[in-house]
Amino acid sequence: MKILAVLYKGGKSAVAEPRLLGTIENRLGIASWLKSLGHEFIVTDDKEGPNSVFQRELPDTDILITTPFHPAYLTGDLIRNKAHKLKLALTSGVGSDHVDLNAANEKKIMVAEVTGSNVTSVAEHVIMCMLNLVRNFVPAHEQIEKDQWDVAAIARNAFDLEGKVIGTLGAGRIGQRVLKRLVPFDPKELVYYDYNPLPEAVANELGARHIPDLHQFLGECDVVTVNAPLHEGTRGLINTELLKHFKKGAFIVNTARGAICDRVSIAKALEEGQINGYAGDVWDVQPAPKDHIWRHMKNPLGGGNGMTPHYSGTTLDAQKRYADGTRDILERFFKGEDQIPANLIVADGRYATRSYGERK
Ligand code: NAI
């Protein structure tokens, strides 16, 4: 079979660190195994436009492996008009929104991901981002690098997490892990919004209250973390209109997908102080262009930006888990065995998960 992987470039870092498995250099650690089985394995980071290696190799590819970190956008047009032989679109990681799932359904292409592989890594990142924003960490550190010392300028916009209402939009694997990790901070309350409410026992254990009305949920939170997939129901969800329903001065942490938040609306709300901070690692286009407004946006006090490149789910620990999971999915596919049900997003022409939008 022909297998095409679109991964990110590791450069010197990947040569120095072989555990950087998600790179074009280290090839998910599966290159020699695939070769020993007689498969053709092509790896590239060149993914944009019709002349990219991705698009040129796609027509006779049987299995496409991509990651959310350097997403090769498998659009409806590519699926319908170029991916003639594609049988499996495998996301090495979690989040398959870079694949047009409706088109994959139409063409009966299986879409699978390594569910759960990096959810703890992301949950830890979310907690870090919350503390970063709420405690006004980035401008405080910048002072040190600039040889400055002005405690008041930082402390005037620094708070504790203790005593705050903290909510997750989406309470799946990551959302639940975030809630669990917040308990020791003694928040005033933990709340969540999800159209798949948690089983009562789980919600009770986490001490999290379900608020089924989105506007009410947002109006109660001092800190909102976004942990839902990107799909038709969440694309552009957090826009200027919805931001009016947030508590003034709330903090947003979004490690789910950049396009859930409208780029310009977020920057404007931050600059006007409607929100006090925005952090995360996901962007509406990746890699983010140099002039992306989220790189330099700030609140009126000169802080509130906790953006990084997309790396929360690609720690070395996570890379081992998603590389192993990728191999497992491939092994099952080659042998014609059933996939682990939780790894399936689309199979046999229908959605196999309830996470990508409400479906009866
Ligand atoms: P999950 O499938 O376990 O949970 C997602 C939850 O979101 C489900 O409970 C679902 O009902 C809920 N949901 C979906 N649409 C919703 C809506 N419109 N309103 C409210 N809730 C909604 O997924 P998991 O593992 O928690 O991951 C969530 C997302 O996080 C992934 O889809 C991916 O986009 C992102 N992610 C980001 C990573 C990173 O490196 N930054 C790594 C891993 C995941």
Side-chain angles (χ1 to χ4, degrees):
M1 283 196 192
K2 175 164 168 175
I3 301 159
L4 170 65
V6 183
L7 304 174
Y8 57 87
K9 190 173 179 180
K12 284 184 196 150
S13 310
V15 175
E17 179 48 85
R19 290 174 299 171
L20 268 170
L21 290 168
T23 57
I24 51 170
E25 291 79 3
N26 295 330
R27 301 168 168 232
L28 292 164
I30 54 175
S32 44
W33 169 64
L34 287 176
K35 198 175 163 203
S36 74
L37 295 178
H39 298 295
E40 183 187 2
F41 188 37
I42 293 174
V43 180
T44 184
D45 67 334
D46 183 19
K47 69 185 181 78
E48 300 301 336
N51 291 322
S52 61
V53 175
F54 163 50
Q55 289 205 25
R56 279 191 279 120
E57 298 290 346
L58 190 59
D60 57 350
T61 289
D62 298 285
I63 299 176
L64 175 68
I65 302 176
T66 56
T67 77
F69 310 105
H70 184 70
Y73 297 100
L74 188 60
T75 60
D77 180 43
L78 289 178
I79 289 179
R80 291 185 191 104
N81 301 314
K82 271 200 182 164
H84 306 302
K85 286 182 68 188
L86 194 65
K87 297 162 189 68
L88 169 64
L90 198 175
T91 303
S92 195
V94 174
S96 298
D97 50 275
H98 56 285
V99 176
D100 185 320
L101 299 174
N102 290 331
N105 267 326
E106 248 172 71
K107 299 291 263 182
K108 297 219 162 106
I109 294 168
M110 179 189 284
V111 181
E113 60 185 44
V114 192
T115 295
S117 56
N118 51 16
V119 294
T120 298
S121 319
V122 178
E124 288 186 5
H125 197 94
V126 171
I127 303 294
M128 176 183 78
C129 286
M130 279 183 191
L131 286 167
N132 227 310
L133 289 182
V134 170
R135 308 200 61 89
N136 210 13
F137 178 83
V138 173
H141 179 69
E142 281 169 355
Q143 271 195 9
I144 296 306
E145 292 205 350
K146 290 183 203 151
D147 303 327
Q148 298 166 350
W149 188 282
D150 184 349
V151 173
I154 297 302
R156 67 180 296 196
N157 198 25
F159 304 88
D160 298 334
L161 268 186
E162 184 180 83
K164 304 299 182 293
V165 178
I166 310 174
T168 178
L169 194 166
R173 295 172 182 85
I174 297 173
Q176 288 173 48
R177 281 168 175 76
V178 170
L179 292 171
K180 185 176 168 194
R181 282 157 179 75
L182 285 168
V183 172
F185 285 94
D186 291 327
K188 182 174 177 194
E189 197 177 12
L190 293 175
V191 294
Y192 76 97
Y193 169 81
D194 196 314
Y195 59 72
N196 289 314
L198 293 169
E200 212 178 310
V202 177
N204 288 344
E205 202 187 315
L206 295 166
R209 176 167 60 97
H210 183 216
I211 305 182
D213 180 81
L214 179 58
H215 292 172
Q216 191 196 334
F217 164 78
L218 297 173
E220 292 197 23
C221 292
D222 299 295
V223 183
V224 174
T225 165
V226 183
N227 296 298
L230 175 64
H231 55 76
E232 289 111 330
T234 53
R235 185 176 293 277
L237 176 68
I238 303 186
N239 55 21
T240 298
E241 184 46 41
L242 198 72
L243 282 158
K244 291 182 191 150
H245 296 274
F246 280 66
K247 238 186 201 181
K248 189 167 166 59
F251 298 93
I252 301 177
V253 175
N254 175 16
T255 52
R257 284 296 177 261
I260 295 175
C261 294
D262 177 70
R263 194 195 282 206
V264 175
S265 306
I266 289 289
K268 192 160 171 284
L270 185 65
E271 272 150 21
E272 290 173 353
Q274 170 58 15
I275 55 172
N276 198 354
Y278 184 89
D281 65 332
V282 285
W283 303 72
D284 51 4
V285 179
Q286 292 187 184
K290 283 191 178 152
D291 63 352
H292 198 294
I293 197 169
W294 288 2
R295 286 183 186 265
H296 301 291
M297 63 184 180
K298 299 247 189 295
N299 65 23
L301 295 175
N305 185 332
M307 292 306 293
T308 65
H310 189 170
Y311 84 106
S312 66
T314 189
T315 58
L316 293 182
D317 302 292
Q319 293 190 47
K320 166 90 177 98
R321 290 189 297 263
Y322 69 66
D324 287 349
T326 299
R327 183 175 165 142
D328 179 67
I329 291 171
L330 290 172
E331 255 171 350
R332 287 169 190 269
F333 191 82
F334 295 149
K335 289 182 190 158
E337 288 174 0
D338 287 346
Q339 296 291 339
I340 295 172
N343 285 345
L344 290 175
I345 304 301
V346 158
D348 303 322
R350 56 179 185 79
Y351 282 88
T353 169
R354 292 170 70 205
S355 288
Y356 278 78
E358 273 177 293
R359 282 181 190 82
K360 299 278 175 287

